[in-house]
Each structure stands twice: as C-alpha cells, then as structure tokens.
Amino acid sequence: MAGAAYLAWWPVPIAPVAWSAPTAPGYQGVHAPNQRLAGLRMIDLKGEIGPEHIALGKDGRLYTTVLSGNILRMNPDGTDQQVFANTGGRVLGFDFDAAGNLVAADAVKGLLSIAPDGTIRLLTDQVAPGDPIRYADGVVVARSGKMYLSDASTRFAPKDWGGTFEASVLDILEQASTGRVLEYDPATRATRVVARGISFANGVALSQDERSLFVAETGKYRVWKIAVDANDLDIRNSSQGPRARVLLDNLPGYPDNLVRGQDGRIWLGFAKPRGAAIDNMAGKPWLRRLTLRLPRALWPIPKPYGHVIAFNDEGKVVADLQDPAGAYPETTAITETADRLYVQSLHAHGLGWLPKEALKAP
C-alpha cells in the first residue's frame, strides 16, 4: 500500500507536458545499419572520461573537454597531453575566436573565454538581470565575432540537478520546451535571445554564408535552421514564416552536437537511439511522473548504439556511420581534420578516431 502511494504521489521535479511523438523511422534508407563506426582506434586519456567536444586549435594542437572540468591539449596523435585549463564546471562545447581564444559553453559557469595562456574570463552568464543562462551547451563563433550558444534548458541547471546528464533527462522527460539559442556580441557585451521554445537545445553550427544557424533539438529528434538575425523567435508558433524551419525531422536517435566539417559537411551525433518506451509516454504525462519515482536502474534509457551522420546546408545526409554494438558510448559528433575523424563522446574512457578513408567505405 505504501509502495503504491509512493508511486502515485511522491513529488517529482518535472511538470510533464503532453506531446505527440512521431513514429520512429528505425534504421533504413540513408540510415540503414552498417559497421563503419566499429573498431575505433583509441587515444588513451590517462584516466579522463568523456571527450564531449573536440577541436583543432589555431596552434595545430587538439583540444578536448572532459568530465573532470579539464580541457586537455595534445598533439593530433594524442601525444604530449597537457591540462590546458580547468573551468571548475563542465565545458560541453567550444570554438575559437579570431584571436585564438577558446570560447567555451560551460554548463555550470556560462560562456567563457580562455586565453592561449589558460587565463579564464567570464563573457556572460545571463541574458538580463534575473534571467540566467542555466545550461550552456553548444557554441559557435561567427566571422563577425558574434557568438551563438545554446541554453539547453531554462528549467534544469546541471549544478542544481546532479550534473549534465541528469538535468538533460529531466528536461526531455518534462517536454516543456524551454531551451533557447542566444547571441553574445563581444563588441557590446550584450546577450540576446535569437530563438526559444526548443525541447533541449543542444548543438549549434553556422551555415556557410553565416546567415543561418543549425540547432539540434534533442527532445524532439530534429534539427532546425534558424535565421541568425531572428529576435526572440518562438519556434512553437507556426506563424514564424521563413525565419525558422525544421531541416531534419523524425531522426532515429537523440541529436546532440553539431560540428562543421570539410567539403560542406556538418557532423551530427546521436547520444542514444530512440526508444519505444519513451515515445509511448509522449501523451501520458502521468507515466513520466511515475517513471521518475522508480530507481534509476529502471528508467527506460535506450541501449547504447554508436551513430553519427553528416549533412549539408540543404539538409541532405551525405554520410552515415554506425556501430550497432555501441562499444563507444554516446557518440555526440565527429571532429573532422585533414586525415582523421575524431569521435566525440559523453562517457568514453578514451578518445576514439578513424582514418579519413572511412568516409570512402561503402
């Protein structure tokens, strides 16, 4: 009796919103199962976990963020590893500005600038007084110097809810769509909302002409194309016209990072595949409340499945790499260099990579 009362009434932090999940497409067509991501070569990170974002710096060195809060710097082959900086938070995405500063979206601290000597400076942690950036996730720097970042959730801050993964689960289960995309202008130090109403706003990338932003909406399995000069656009409003449109819809997994590659490619990773149990709860808010009352081991978290794709500015998928065994956990994107494909991950105990020839494989 007590157990039934607990499952029915114990308070949970989410106020679930009913929504209609599209029928999962499965792995077919351009996403037909393959093994092109299997058998990754590994770089030992010496005990560090979760190379969530990777980029080649202007100094020719490879940079990656890890769970400890460190940002590691190394040669492209993984040798000469150093701790470049530690933000005291968790950097999820970063880019470099024209001066060579590392611009970091720290899920705990906000938007940071880290100078080549490792000095850390806060750029912004709020849109306006009383409107904090709760979950900085992805960031990209435009040629103009302006910075575009995702604030994944304005409801669940990782520092308050047990970490980035835990906060993301709460936000996606709730489906209140409070995520947004922001612009920070270093010339004026102003932060503004480009678009809002996004169900866990995740990776961001710029189109080649830099007139549009691509934004991964993790909670609804899609990628948006949004005008960079949009202002406080609510994408839930069907009358937004040409300012925003869904570029990739009903994807087979939870889209995560977006990273500009070479030859017009934009790389997208799926942290997890779709799960029928979660989709079936879309229209049942009460069931999502009940789920959070269960032990975490009983949460319907989908099985591991390695999957990254590349698409172009028009939304055509031009590459699809998979590892159905999910040996490398939570493949969040690819960082492409002249001769390698580095695979980003939330929880991997090493940095996986493939030779560039993998793109030519059938």
Side-chain angles (χ1 to χ4, degrees):
M1 192 69 171
Y6 167 79
L7 290 175
W9 302 109
W10 190 260
V12 294
I14 65 172
V17 175
W19 71 292
S20 180
T23 301
Y27 293 93
Q28 59 180 327
V30 293
H31 305 305
N34 64 70
Q35 301 283 334
R36 297 173 67 187
L37 201 61
L40 294 179
R41 305 181 190 186
M42 299 297 295
I43 292 172
D44 182 6
L45 294 180
K46 308 183 188 310
E48 297 279 14
I49 298 170
E52 160 67 352
H53 194 86
I54 304 158
L56 196 64
K58 296 181 182 297
D59 56 2
R61 304 266 277 167
L62 200 68
Y63 290 75
T64 187
T65 64
V66 287
L67 190 61
S68 66
N70 285 336
I71 299 174
L72 305 180
R73 177 171 59 188
M74 66 192 81
N75 291 327
D77 64 0
T79 59
D80 191 25
Q81 289 184 29
Q82 306 167 1
V83 175
F84 168 61
N86 186 302
T87 66
R90 173 53 158 144
V91 174
L92 295 176
F94 65 92
D95 199 0
F96 291 92
D97 67 14
N101 300 304
L102 188 152
V103 177
D106 189 305
V108 176
K109 303 289 186 175
L111 188 66
L112 310 174
S113 176
I114 307 176
D117 66 0
T119 303
I120 300 171
R121 177 168 60 95
L122 176 66
L123 296 176
T124 181
D125 60 1
Q126 61 180 7
V127 176
D131 185 8
I133 298 171
R134 285 192 168 88
Y135 198 139
D137 197 320
V139 64
V140 63
V141 181
R143 289 187 291 269
S144 66
K146 292 180 179 179
M147 302 162 186
Y148 297 92
L149 68 148
S150 54
D151 187 9
S153 171
T154 58
R155 285 269 293 135
F156 301 103
K159 66 181 178 63
D160 298 328
W161 295 100
T164 56
F165 180 75
E166 291 76 7
S168 70
V169 169
L170 293 174
D171 189 85
I172 291 170
L173 278 178
E174 183 173 74
Q175 282 293 339
S177 298
T178 67
R180 55 190 179 174
V181 183
L182 309 175
E183 177 194 89
Y184 174 74
D185 187 344
T188 63
R189 299 183 182 178
T191 306
R192 70 177 185 88
V193 178
V194 176
R196 56 191 170 90
I198 304 170
S199 179
F200 202 80
N202 206 321
V204 291
L206 281 161
S207 60
Q208 293 190 83
D209 62 11
E210 300 202 343
R211 294 180 179 179
S212 301
L213 280 168
F214 302 104
V215 183
E217 186 176 22
T218 304
K220 290 187 174 171
Y221 319 123
R222 57 193 182 184
V223 174
W224 286 83
K225 188 173 185 178
I226 302 171
V228 295
D229 58 359
N231 187 51
D232 200 22
L233 182 71
D234 190 341
I235 64 167
R236 293 168 295 188
N237 183 350
S238 60
S239 65
Q240 72 260 39
R243 310 302 291 160
R245 67 183 178 92
V246 176
L247 186 72
L248 296 172
D249 201 6
N250 198 18
L251 291 163
Y254 290 88
D256 204 298
N257 293 343
L258 291 172
V259 179
R260 175 65 70 175
Q262 299 180 356
D263 300 321
R265 285 184 286 269
I266 301 166
W267 287 98
L268 166 65
F270 298 99
K272 292 285 187 184
R274 295 271 289 272
I278 296 175
D279 280 355
N280 290 339
M281 292 193 291
K284 304 180 181 72
W286 64 269
L287 189 53
R288 281 179 270 150
R289 289 192 193 93
L290 186 148
T291 297
L292 282 186
R293 296 179 183 121
L294 298 173
R296 181 170 171 171
L298 298 179
W299 289 3
I301 295 173
K303 66 178 183 178
Y305 194 105
H307 193 187
V308 293
I309 65 173
F311 62 93
N312 62 23
D313 281 21
E314 288 71 48
K316 179 183 177 181
V317 176
V318 296
D320 185 289
L321 287 69
Q322 300 179 32
D323 175 18
Y328 191 74
E330 290 96 20
T331 49
T332 54
I334 290 278
T335 297
E336 181 179 355
T337 65
D339 58 352
R340 292 188 178 192
L341 302 174
Y342 296 94
V343 189
Q344 303 173 11
S345 170
L346 278 174
H347 297 116
H349 290 252
L351 175 51
W353 66 277
L354 290 169
K356 192 75 165 284
E357 286 75 17
L359 282 179
K360 303 175 183 177

